[in-house]
Amino acid sequence: MDSDAWNEEQEEQRLKSMRRELEAASAGEHDYYAVLNVSRRATTEDIREAYRRLSRLFHPDRHHGAEKQEWARRQFHIIQRAHEILIDPAVRAAYDQLGEQGISLGKAVGYKLHSVKDLQDKFEREARMRRIEDVDEWVQSQSEITLSVNGSGIISPHAAQSFQSSNKGASGSGGLALQQLFMTHSFTASLSDNVSGTIEGRMLSRNSNTRAGNNGTVKVMIKRTLGPQMWMSFTTPLLPPHVVAVEAVHCPSLGTFYQAKVEQHALDLYTPPAITMQAGRPLSPYTTAFISVATGNQYALGSMWTSSSTRSLPGKRPALAPRKPSSVTIGLTGARSTGEELGANVTATTNQAYIQAWYKRKIDMYFSVSGGLLV
């Protein structure tokens, strides 16, 4: 439209028809093709002509009043930005594949390539890599394999015979015996700003010729962050055994934590829940002391849960859930920036007491070696 034939009514109609696209772009929803009102297959000449028409229409000098001029100035800058991006083949190819994030990359590599086809191929590869990275960031995958070897035979032949007798069919030599293989694989995805979901598969294979030595399960966990220092989670298995757990953790300061966990080992009203309370605080920059108190699932409150199969009483039927005794644990753990971790604790249960010490060394980001002593 020529400036001499400028019509006030046509101006208002055009301003209203394009306000939605321009306001969306100013809010961060950048679609520069919509800003210039051209298709994605538009030629360079189409883009140049659209820019000329819109720059005349939205030039601040054509509007009266401070408010209208300020609004027109903002839209004029968006139109200029759209023209700058779409008129350059390298930048346009990057924008088509990667959006706003690809613009700077297109400016950096545009003069090193020789054709639009080269640009499109490069940015298609960049777009595929970006999509893969986005999926990896959203769905965090993690695997862990733990191989346990019993070395008690090196210290005491009697301990080796005891292990062999309690694990019939177990094999080993030279005082060493493969004890168990434990594997986990999990996928974690963010469901909202403060809620995440995890699916985890577990497999345990013990060095035994009994079926009880091998099992596996799949668990689903929903975790909600209640603040920078506290979170809660709910875990339920998809396969038996059905152990439902609710856990809450509060970390008021660096190294200090309070944890509460409730586990229901059987989906009935006859088995008491196992409640574990744990607290810890740092003694030094590298050492943390902790105490843990667990009720187990063999207790009763008055007449409640007296008929639970988990109670070790004469004449009781076989337990339908694992029997967890009450216990108290006091210990120390430590870690250094070199990848070394170590700990020791004393545990007393209703029927036994033992001392445990362990050491773990991280070899690289994938492998670590650990050893322990149980007395």
Side-chain angles (χ1 to χ4, degrees), residues 73-361:
R73 186 176 294 107
R74 292 196 301 267
Q75 313 317 317
F76 186 73
H77 288 322
I78 297 173
I79 294 170
Q80 286 183 315
R81 172 73 169 166
H83 175 260
E84 177 187 351
I85 291 170
L86 300 184
I87 203 66
D88 188 319
V91 179
R92 180 180 178 181
Y95 172 73
D96 288 344
Q97 296 297 330
L98 302 177
E100 190 81 21
Q101 297 178 347
I103 294 175
S104 58
L105 181 61
K107 292 179 178 180
V109 305
Y111 299 104
K112 299 179 182 179
L113 302 176
H114 303 291
S115 67
V116 175
K117 183 64 168 60
D118 292 334
L119 294 171
Q120 292 175 343
D121 292 342
K122 178 175 180 60
F123 293 124
E124 283 178 3
R125 292 192 297 270
E126 293 287 345
R128 285 195 297 269
M129 293 300 298
R130 185 67 56 84
R131 287 192 293 268
I132 293 174
E133 291 175 358
D134 291 342
V135 171
D136 289 342
E137 182 178 355
W138 184 70
V139 181
Q140 302 174 24
S141 176
Q142 184 175 0
S143 298
E144 182 176 348
I145 301 175
T146 303
L147 181 65
S148 300
V149 177
N150 190 311
S152 57
I154 299 176
I155 301 174
S156 171
H158 175 72
Q161 292 177 1
S162 177
F163 174 77
Q164 293 286 347
S165 62
S166 61
N167 296 270
K168 295 181 180 180
S171 60
S173 61
L176 298 176
L178 178 63
Q179 186 170 357
Q180 67 179 27
L181 174 66
F182 181 65
M183 302 175 62
T184 66
H185 189 82
S186 63
F187 297 94
T188 301
S190 177
L191 305 180
S192 66
D193 291 340
N194 55 0
V195 179
S196 64
T198 300
I199 298 179
E200 181 183 74
R202 295 187 173 190
M203 187 279 291
L204 175 63
S205 178
R206 292 189 178 94
N207 192 358
S208 173
N209 61 356
T210 61
R211 290 187 176 181
N214 305 309
N215 58 69
T217 187
V218 178
K219 295 183 177 182
V220 176
M221 182 180 73
I222 302 298
K223 180 179 177 181
R224 179 180 177 84
T225 302
L226 302 178
Q229 301 172 335
M230 185 174 183
W231 57 267
M232 295 185 64
S233 67
F234 172 79
T235 304
T236 181
L238 301 180
L239 301 174
H242 296 289
V243 181
V244 179
V246 178
E247 185 177 6
V249 177
H250 178 50
C251 302
S253 61
L254 183 63
T256 302
F257 67 91
Y258 302 98
Q259 179 181 10
K261 187 175 184 179
V262 180
E263 292 181 296
Q264 185 64 37
H265 293 92
L267 301 182
D268 56 42
L269 300 177
Y270 303 103
T271 304
I275 304 173
T276 303
M277 306 292 291
Q278 189 172 12
R281 62 171 300 172
L283 299 181
S284 72
Y286 305 105
T287 308
T288 299
F290 69 92
I291 181 171
S292 177
V293 179
T295 64
N297 60 4
Q298 298 179 316
Y299 63 94
L301 296 178
S303 60
M304 185 179 298
W305 300 316
T306 55
S307 60
S308 172
S309 63
T310 58
R311 303 194 70 197
S312 301
L313 298 177
K316 287 294 180 181
R317 64 184 185 276
L320 301 178
R323 288 172 172 165
K324 301 292 183 179
S326 303
S327 65
V328 177
T329 301
I330 300 176
L332 295 172
T333 61
R336 300 182 66 88
S337 58
T338 56
E340 294 177 292
E341 300 178 17
L342 69 161
N345 59 264
V346 179
T347 300
T349 70
T350 53
N351 52 20
Q352 65 176 338
Y354 56 88
I355 300 175
Q356 184 178 15
W358 56 270
Y359 173 83
K360 182 178 180 180
R361 174 78 181 192

Side-chain angles (χ1 to χ4, degrees), residues 28-88:
E29 302 172 7
H30 300 293
D31 185 348
Y32 293 121
Y33 290 98
V35 169
L36 296 183
N37 197 23
V38 295
S39 70
R40 290 187 171 269
R41 297 183 178 180
T43 64
T44 302
E45 186 60 33
D46 294 335
I47 294 172
R48 186 177 290 110
E49 179 60 30
Y51 168 70
R52 290 172 180 170
R53 175 173 53 84
L54 294 175
S55 61
R56 290 196 302 265
L57 184 62
F58 286 93
H59 198 282
D61 293 343
R62 286 185 173 265
H63 299 268
H64 305 286
E67 184 177 350
K68 283 189 175 182
Q69 283 188 339
E70 179 60 28
W71 178 84
R73 186 176 294 107
R74 292 196 301 267
Q75 313 317 317
F76 186 73
H77 288 322
I78 297 173
I79 294 170
Q80 286 183 315
R81 172 73 169 166
H83 175 260
E84 177 187 351
I85 291 170
L86 300 184
I87 203 66
D88 188 319

